[in-house]
Amino acid sequence: MFKILIVAITLVFTYSFSSLAQQTAKNAPKREFRGVWVATVANIDWPSRPGLTADQQKQELIGLLEKHKGNGMNAIILQVRPAADAFYGKSREPWSQWLMGKQGLAPAEGYDPLEFAIHEAHFRGMELHAWFNPYRATTSANAVLSKDHMVVKRPDLFFTYAGKKQFDPGMPEVREYIIQVVLDVVKGYDIDGIHFDDYFYPYPVSGQTIRDANTFAQHSNGFTNVNDWRRNNVDLLIEQLDDSIHHYKKHVKFGISPFGIWRNLREDSLGSATNGLSNYSELYADSRKWVKEGWVDYINPQVYFSFTRKAAPFGTLVDWWSENTYGRHLYIGQAAYLMNQKMEAAWRLPTQIPDQIRYMRENNRVQGSVFFSSKSFSTVARETGDSLRLDLYKYPSLPPQMPWLDDIEPNIPLNIRAEAKSDGIHLSWEQPLVAADGETASGYVIYRFEEGEPITILKPENIIKISFLTYTNFIDTDVVSGKRYTYLVTALDRLKNESEAGSPVGLAAR
């Protein structure tokens, strides 16, 4: 009886400890994608208006990054090509009108907005994904275009829909052109990902017709149904891009953020129990197929619905997507911009988005989320930002690993040293030896422990610095004189695989 009691107590203790560990992991996961979209089209998020000087643009972007870093984000999805124009210098397309106020007008010499954004994001331990709109060429019927814009140079590659110009996806030349535009950025910049949004064939507008009959006749590829043909046109672009991106840089992630509904159950037995516009039928975007075929590294459906939205409840769509990930990452698009709007009572509840995050964390097949959009956290979603900063994203998090791209850990940083000085504890180390895949380190994580704390790299609350740069030194200024601290340093490779920790170093602050 005594032995049984001991076993029972041990089991209860083990279960309680295990449950506590699992709950802690759910409340503060060390690996979670925490992204925010930064829209440049029409100056939605950045820059605040066209025509700012380079210094003004830089200061605005630094402020934006600091805000999101403070809220716990670890990824920025920056729109670099809103309408066949560019927020980067190494481009075959003209500078965007939303930079300097006139399409084709360059910002200050030596200033490349994308290059600057990448460095500042990586310094703060945030990934930078370059966001492209693949097909949109103009945003209005009266757009003033540069002589170097493709609509001016090659009007035969476009059709007009609802007064706007759009690349014709059925033309092989269009697909090849878009791939080369994307590869300009893949080859020319130290980005972490290529990101597409939900605009493929245009969203339906009453009374409008997609004028691609001639293209269908010339490039049918054996299809007799125009809808199937259109979907295949988009499929071809996605498949070819996946191959091309990873051919040049294996570590660059490719992700797409489609509209939240693939197909409704009434349309397809494989669809979700929803009633709304679908990617498959209205936008000719077979988003589920891209995941199933492994053409994307992550899918980021825009589930801009509340839990109580009758036509498309948040929980229903998250569950459906989680059952259709096929081993790829699933990040849910969340609607920060809808907070406090009057049309639906659910969005006036400050707990709506926090509860969505908690719901996602209960599902092991959801690896994180992305918020639309940056500006919302300074306007309607300020309370949401508080919830992230003070609770849900209180501790740092690394982006989740992608073993199908790279599962080799970097080696341990070498010769870690610590010295107490009047301004804090100075840490330094040397980069690790080259790992089996030829990589050393592309960043580092620094952990700090107070006296008596267990020394482990499993707990995110001990992380004091994440950097995706190769600096090999750090000053911990947040220390108390006379208090003893222990530090660990680990190395990260480009896909955020983490090394084992080097030997711990401990000392008292001066």
Side-chain angles (χ1 to χ4, degrees):
M1 181 68 181
F2 180 73
K3 186 181 290 187
I4 293 172
L5 182 60
I6 292 293
V7 171
I9 291 172
T10 304
L11 287 173
V12 169
F13 177 79
T14 303
Y15 176 77
S16 300
F17 182 82
S18 174
S19 297
L20 180 63
Q22 290 175 13
Q23 192 61 39
T24 301
K26 285 180 180 177
N27 290 340
K30 185 183 168 183
R31 295 269 183 183
E32 184 175 52
F33 196 86
R34 303 171 179 174
V36 60
W37 279 289
V38 178
T40 58
V41 63
N43 300 106
I44 290 174
D45 292 316
W46 177 80
S48 61
R49 59 181 173 84
L52 296 179
T53 66
D55 284 343
Q56 288 172 324
Q57 289 183 25
K58 289 178 180 180
Q59 288 306 309
E60 280 194 356
L61 187 62
I62 287 172
L64 181 155
L65 293 175
E66 281 291 310
K67 184 176 189 66
H68 296 312
K69 178 63 178 175
N71 283 345
M73 303 296 183
N74 60 20
I76 296 294
I77 315 295
L78 178 65
Q79 190 174 33
V80 300
R81 184 185 184 254
D85 52 6
F87 270 76
Y88 52 96
K90 300 169 187 175
S91 174
R92 63 190 66 207
E93 296 181 312
W95 286 101
S96 176
Q97 70 184 77
W98 293 295
L99 265 176
M100 302 307 298
K102 180 181 179 182
Q103 193 173 81
L105 182 60
E109 187 176 351
Y111 165 54
D112 187 313
L114 176 55
E115 201 165 73
F116 179 78
I118 292 167
H119 181 271
E120 293 298 323
H122 284 178
F123 173 71
R124 291 167 176 82
M126 305 168 84
E127 290 193 339
L128 195 294
H129 293 227
W131 165 17
F132 290 75
N133 186 290
Y135 295 125
R136 183 171 62 201
T138 64
T139 57
S140 67
N142 56 359
V144 179
L145 302 177
S146 159
K147 62 180 176 59
D148 296 321
H149 196 276
M150 282 297 283
V151 166
V152 177
K153 293 165 64 176
R154 290 291 307 276
D156 55 309
L157 300 181
F158 301 85
F159 58 68
T160 303
Y161 187 88
K164 303 169 186 176
K165 294 290 185 181
Q166 172 158 327
F167 281 96
D168 187 339
M171 293 184 174
E173 188 175 352
V174 163
R175 291 194 292 273
E176 181 56 32
Y177 176 77
I178 293 171
I179 289 168
Q180 293 307 318
V181 166
V182 171
L183 289 179
D184 287 341
V185 172
V186 172
K187 296 174 186 178
Y189 295 89
D190 193 23
I191 56 167
D192 299 286
I194 293 292
H195 183 95
F196 278 8
D197 57 24
D198 54 319
Y199 290 97
F200 291 97
Y201 276 87
Y203 275 84
V205 176
S206 179
Q208 297 292 312
T209 303
I210 296 175
R211 302 186 181 280
D212 58 357
N214 289 339
T215 308
F216 183 35
Q218 294 174 26
H219 305 287
S220 65
N221 284 334
F223 285 89
T224 56
N225 181 290
V226 69
N227 296 339
D228 292 338
W229 171 74
R230 287 171 180 163
R231 275 185 288 273
N232 185 66
N233 293 334
V234 179
D235 289 347
L236 288 172
L237 176 67
I238 303 306
E239 182 182 15
Q240 290 166 12
L241 267 170
D242 171 56
D243 182 69
S244 298
I245 291 166
H246 294 129
H247 172 77
Y248 285 99
K249 287 184 180 177
K250 185 180 178 181
H251 67 262
V252 173
K253 306 167 184 178
F254 181 34
I256 300 179
S257 179
F259 181 72
I261 300 172
W262 169 65
R263 298 191 83 183
N264 298 290
L265 188 59
R266 58 181 165 79
E267 301 169 307
D268 190 314
S269 61
L270 297 174
S272 53
T274 52
N275 290 287
L277 178 143
S278 75
N279 278 292
Y280 188 92
S281 301
E282 279 84 6
L283 304 178
Y284 308 103
D286 194 350
S287 46
R288 178 178 177 270
K289 180 179 181 179
W290 308 334
V291 189
K292 186 177 181 180
E293 296 294 336
W295 295 338
V296 292
D297 298 305
Y298 67 85
I299 196 77
N300 179 201
Q302 297 172 20
V303 187
Y304 295 165
F305 308 109
S306 69
F307 281 107
T308 53
R309 182 68 175 271
K310 189 174 181 180
F314 179 85
T316 298
L317 279 169
V318 169
D319 292 350
W320 183 89
W321 277 105
S322 76
E323 293 163 3
N324 288 273
T325 60
Y326 297 97
R328 291 302 193 244
H329 282 181
L330 171 61
Y331 313 145
I332 301 298
Q334 291 186 268
Y337 75 99
L338 288 180
M339 288 303 298
N340 293 301
Q341 60 97 352
K342 298 177 181 179
M343 298 296 289
E344 187 181 348
W347 289 109
R348 297 197 293 276
L349 299 173
T351 57
Q352 180 66 219
I353 284 181
D355 284 348
Q356 290 182 0
I357 294 173
R358 293 184 185 101
Y359 186 86
M360 290 185 290
R361 283 180 175 173
E362 290 293 325
N363 190 325
N364 292 331
R365 287 177 288 189
V366 181
Q367 286 85 18
S369 64
V370 184
F371 296 93
F372 189 86
S373 69
S374 174
K375 192 174 185 177
S376 303
F377 288 98
S378 299
T379 55
V380 296
R382 288 192 297 270
E383 286 181 81
T384 303
D386 292 341
S387 294
L388 299 180
R389 182 177 68 259
L390 300 174
D391 181 12
L392 294 159
Y393 291 0
K394 182 178 179 179
Y395 302 118
S397 187
L398 289 168
Q401 296 158 286
M402 291 185 170
W404 60 91
L405 294 180
D406 178 14
D407 62 355
I408 298 174
E409 295 177 359
N411 284 317
I412 296 171
L414 301 172
N415 300 323
I416 301 169
R417 299 174 294 276
E419 183 179 0
K421 295 187 177 181
S422 58
D423 60 342
I425 293 178
H426 290 234
L427 297 170
S428 62
W429 57 92
E430 296 172 15
Q431 72 174 21
L433 299 173
V434 174
D437 60 355
E439 290 192 65
T440 54
S442 298
Y444 298 94
V445 185
I446 301 170
Y447 300 80
R448 185 183 69 191
F449 308 89
E450 296 189 7
E451 200 160 7
E453 278 193 287
I455 309 298
T456 172
I457 64 172
L458 299 178
K459 297 168 66 176
E461 51 262 48
N462 291 113
I463 295 173
I464 59 169
K465 176 67 175 179
I466 298 173
S467 172
F468 298 155
L469 296 175
T470 55
Y471 298 148
T472 55
N473 51 72
F474 175 72
I475 304 174
D476 182 9
T477 58
D478 186 24
V479 293
V480 177
S481 179
K483 201 168 187 178
R484 186 170 183 82
Y485 300 94
T486 300
Y487 296 88
L488 293 177
V489 181
T490 62
L492 298 171
D493 65 15
R494 283 311 309 263
L495 277 158
K496 312 309 179 290
N497 293 305
E498 185 178 20
S499 73
E500 297 293 325
S503 298
V505 294
L507 74 172
R510 284 176 57 177

